Amino acid sequence: MVVLWGLMEDTPLAVAYHGLKQLGVPVSFIDQRQILECTFSCSLSENISGEIIAPGVRLSLDEASVLYFRPYNFESLDVFSDINRNSREWARAAQFEDAMMLWAETFPGLVVNRPSAMSSNSSKPYQLELIRQHGFATPETLITTDPESVLQFWRKHQRIIYKSISSSRSIVSQLSEPDLATLEDVVCCPTQFQRFIDGMDYRVHVIDTKVYACKIVSPHDDYRYSTNTQMEPAILDYELEQRCVRLTRALGLHFSGIDLRQSINGEWYCFEVNPSPGYTCFDQSGAISRALVYFLARAITKGEQGLKLVDIPKLVC
Amino acid sequence: MIIVVASELDSDAERLAATWPRREAVLLTPRDLCTRGWTIELGRFNDGSFVAGGTKHSIREIDGAITLFSCVYEHELFGIEKSDRRYVCAELVAHLVYFLSNLPCPILGKPTPECLNGPAWRQEQWALACRASGIRTELATQAASPVASNHKMECVRTLSFIGAECVDLEDIELNERVCQVASLAGANLFQLKLRRSESGPIFHSVQLAPDLTNTHVVTAIQNYLTPKSN
């Protein structure tokens, strides 16, 4: 059985759920929104064994062969907006979340992706160092609490951007003259600056050994926040594809979303590897959805022979 | 120079740094992370500078490091606006993960991206590692956390693992088993707590922070981190 955990309105999870259903693969969906009605009981033997009881689900942990987890921070869910942090309900939800994470960490089968493997993304320079070791160019990067160092870096590279060091979402922005008025703020918190790399953005999704690239045309420094971003499928050369597969494997991931930029000189820069990609926005042809669903299903059927070919539903993100 | 990375509210850590032989150690606290003087360029890590004890230093001066906390807490960011503390905490932790992971010197309490001083393992994962290493575990079955009930039982023995072995442990076989636990966890600084039974010691719990009130532990830490040439 494939076990999915997260929210049904999250399109990557919904696509997986409906796709697996169409293939006739047993699938169990645990709705994070109903976390207060879920219980997780377990014991330790060689691994974790036990059961999960959720609305409409009674699942022995031994029945699971594949886990695909995309949980949100439960604190931000609307169902928790009126629940006190010190309440029994809150503690129960936190305990359930923790148990699910423990299961994902110790589960002997396929996990997309194991939480510890995903954690490199929580420190961008840490991950960038790993990316660099795998043969990608990375932009010159400065982390500093020293305004004077920022100015020197700016003078040296002419165009620089700044963004968060952690996985906290921040809008990637170019440093400009008006920012100088607040430059002294970097003293209060180490800040990451990078040389601006002029070129074309690509988002590459790797699922096991399969690679799907998408070219992104945007007038904005951070295409995620642009209203007129255009995307089109792209083909990368074989060596670059294999580098993406190797990097994904080296980070312990089965599924990744890699942010690349081809500079105007033709050099390939890698900025980040997203370990839980919300890929549906980049999946105009449905190829990524199909590959993900078949990858999850293959682990159950031990190969593609038993799988019928079906159209994976296309959901709008 | 040895850097002791800890909360400024941790008096044991402060004492460890202050009493280090030849005054070689300096405390690095969250306050230092929010101080002018940090400058690190990727790919040129060793040329960078950092702040400890309120003073800017070259990264090349660091001979060893010990990390004594798992994360930075919001309540310690005294100089940061309350509304910004959550964001700043995440940034400081991410920065420390990068900084500590790249230090080219011995480090106790090696960081992982999830935890500044070791693996972010739940007690159940430690129990599984102990079981795989030949240390008995007897955990009750209960909702969500089998280890929670175990904590209610009394711990009778604490083994301090520092660097590559347990401190003051004459039982060679048990030491080897704890070494195997350390290897499975990728950890080099932790306390393994055991319960007693007629058939031998049983896993109770693991704690990453060392017992700095134990002079043998402090000596073992100093011996591990002090440069051999001294």
Side-chain angles (χ1 to χ4, degrees):
Chain A
M1 176 176 294
V2 180
V3 180
L4 308 178
W5 180 40
L7 300 172
M8 196 50 97
E9 64 260 39
D10 180 42
T11 48
L13 212 59
V15 166
Y17 178 78
H18 293 296
L20 289 165
K21 281 271 186 196
Q22 284 199 27
L23 282 175
V25 172
V27 55
S28 190
F29 175 75
I30 300 166
D31 187 348
Q32 208 185 3
R33 202 177 285 288
Q34 295 178 311
I35 190 170
L36 289 170
E37 298 163 66
C38 300
T39 60
F40 189 117
S41 56
C42 67
S43 62
L44 293 186
S45 51
E46 291 303 309
N47 280 300
I48 305 282
S49 57
E51 70 172 3
I52 295 169
I53 301 174
V57 176
R58 188 178 194 114
L59 173 71
S60 164
L61 303 188
D62 300 334
E63 291 174 51
S65 305
V66 180
L67 311 182
Y68 177 39
F69 285 3
R70 271 181 59 86
Y72 281 66
N73 180 357
F74 78 88
E75 298 177 20
S76 61
L77 298 181
D78 51 1
V79 288
F80 279 87
S81 58
D82 294 328
I83 295 180
N84 188 303
R85 276 177 164 266
N86 298 317
S87 66
R88 204 173 270 187
E89 289 96 333
W90 192 282
R92 187 188 155 104
Q95 200 176 31
F96 182 81
E97 291 252 336
D98 194 55
M100 291 295 278
M101 287 305 189
L102 169 68
W103 188 33
E105 210 58 82
T106 56
F107 184 67
L110 175 66
V111 182
V112 180
N113 284 310
R114 233 176 262 285
S116 55
M118 292 167 60
S119 63
S120 74
N121 193 236
S122 62
S123 172
K124 292 196 180 100
Y126 172 85
Q127 192 191 60
L128 210 54
E129 195 64 60
L130 298 175
I131 289 169
R132 209 166 62 87
Q133 289 165 15
H134 282 84
F136 282 98
T138 53
E140 288 86 341
T141 300
L142 169 74
I143 296 161
T144 189
T145 57
D146 185 357
E148 183 53 39
S149 296
V150 180
L151 289 174
Q152 284 176 14
F153 192 72
W154 193 19
R155 278 184 219 116
K156 181 176 174 186
H157 296 296
Q158 309 292 317
R159 289 172 81 187
I160 63 175
I161 59 99
Y162 55 94
K163 60 183 184 183
S164 63
I165 299 175
S166 70
S167 54
S168 302
R169 217 167 209 223
S170 65
I171 301 175
V172 178
S173 309
Q174 279 197 56
L175 192 74
S176 58
E177 289 288 340
D179 293 321
L180 296 181
T182 54
L183 199 54
E184 196 66 21
D185 289 351
V186 301
V187 174
C188 298
C189 182
T191 306
Q192 180 173 226
F193 297 86
Q194 286 181 337
R195 175 167 78 88
F196 177 81
I197 306 294
D198 204 359
M200 184 64 69
D201 281 317
Y202 288 79
R203 171 70 166 215
V204 180
H205 290 93
V206 176
I207 301 171
D208 193 25
T209 56
K210 293 193 161 54
V211 178
Y212 302 89
C214 177
K215 186 175 177 179
I216 300 161
V217 183
S218 170
H220 202 276
D221 289 336
D222 189 335
Y223 66 78
R224 297 171 301 176
Y225 297 92
S226 177
T227 49
N228 52 350
T229 294
Q230 293 180 346
M231 302 185 188
E232 55 187 77
I235 305 284
L236 306 180
D237 72 53
Y238 180 75
E239 193 284 325
L240 182 60
E241 282 192 350
Q242 290 310 301
R243 224 187 305 166
C244 291
V245 171
R246 285 196 297 272
L247 176 60
T248 300
R249 283 214 177 130
L251 295 177
L253 304 171
H254 296 287
F255 181 25
S256 70
I258 303 177
D259 290 329
L260 297 183
R261 185 172 294 169
Q262 187 178 31
S263 74
I264 49 177
N265 300 327
E267 197 168 10
W268 286 97
Y269 283 81
C270 179
F271 295 108
E272 194 176 335
V273 180
N274 187 323
S276 185
Y279 64 88
T280 42
C281 297
F282 304 93
D283 192 24
Q284 291 170 347
S285 70
I288 306 173
S289 303
R290 213 160 21 247
L292 176 64
V293 168
Y294 276 88
F295 177 62
L296 297 173
R298 264 205 319 270
I300 302 274
T301 58
K302 312 287 182 202
E304 285 186 12
Q305 285 79 8
L307 294 175
K308 55 187 176 183
L309 285 172
V310 295
D311 282 333
I312 305 300
K314 197 157 186 289
L315 300 177
V316 178
C317 63
Chain B
M1 175 194 294
I2 307 296
I3 51 169
V4 177
V5 185
S7 160
E8 69 178 271
L9 305 173
D10 182 347
S11 53
D12 290 333
E14 189 180 3
R15 199 175 314 111
L16 175 71
T19 58
W20 201 280
R22 294 180 291 281
R23 294 180 175 271
E24 281 176 326
V26 60
L27 205 57
L28 191 165
T29 68
R31 189 187 294 270
D32 291 313
L33 295 169
C34 303
T35 299
R36 186 190 306 261
W38 287 85
T39 299
I40 302 174
E41 283 194 50
L42 249 74
R44 296 179 54 204
F45 183 84
N46 291 343
D47 296 333
S49 62
F50 72 103
V51 177
T55 307
K56 181 178 168 181
H57 305 272
S58 161
I59 286 177
R60 291 184 193 279
E61 292 176 53
I62 304 174
D63 296 310
I66 178 168
T67 311
L68 294 171
F69 56 20
S70 58
C71 65
V72 175
Y73 293 101
E74 290 179 39
H75 65 256
E76 200 172 339
L77 301 181
F78 309 110
I80 306 294
E81 288 280 340
K82 235 176 179 176
S83 57
D84 293 336
R85 286 184 186 172
R86 197 170 200 176
Y87 174 82
V88 173
C89 263
E91 293 294 285
L92 297 184
V93 169
H95 172 52
L96 270 180
V97 165
Y98 167 66
F99 173 68
L100 295 169
S101 301
N102 283 280
L103 286 177
C105 62
I107 176 164
L108 282 173
K110 288 187 292 187
T112 59
E114 299 169 288
C115 176
L116 288 172
N117 61 339
W121 274 19
R122 291 159 182 84
Q123 293 298 330
E124 287 81 359
Q125 289 169 273
W126 286 107
L128 289 171
C130 283
R131 181 169 288 189
S133 306
I135 297 170
R136 287 182 55 210
T137 55
E138 275 183 11
L139 301 172
T141 301
Q142 73 157 49
S145 172
V147 166
S149 60
N150 200 47
H151 278 194
K152 292 175 190 154
M153 297 174 194
E154 195 186 358
C155 153
V156 292
R157 190 174 181 191
T158 299
L159 305 178
S160 292
F161 188 87
I162 311 245
E165 60 183 1
C166 289
V167 175
D168 286 344
L169 179 62
E170 289 174 1
D171 183 337
I172 295 169
E173 195 182 338
L174 183 55
N175 187 50
E176 279 178 5
R177 287 175 180 173
V178 182
C179 286
Q180 196 183 332
V181 173
S183 170
L184 288 170
N188 68 359
L189 184 67
F190 61 89
Q191 297 182 60
L192 172 60
K193 301 187 178 215
L194 300 169
R195 291 194 281 128
R196 185 178 294 145
S197 78
E198 287 178 4
S199 49
I202 301 178
F203 170 84
H204 176 276
S205 60
V206 165
Q207 171 182 327
L208 291 177
D211 177 9
L212 295 178
T213 62
N214 180 331
T215 53
H216 297 283
V217 168
V218 170
T219 303
I221 289 170
Q222 290 171 344
N223 288 342
Y224 184 82
L225 291 179
T226 300
K228 298 288 178 280
S229 56
N230 288 356

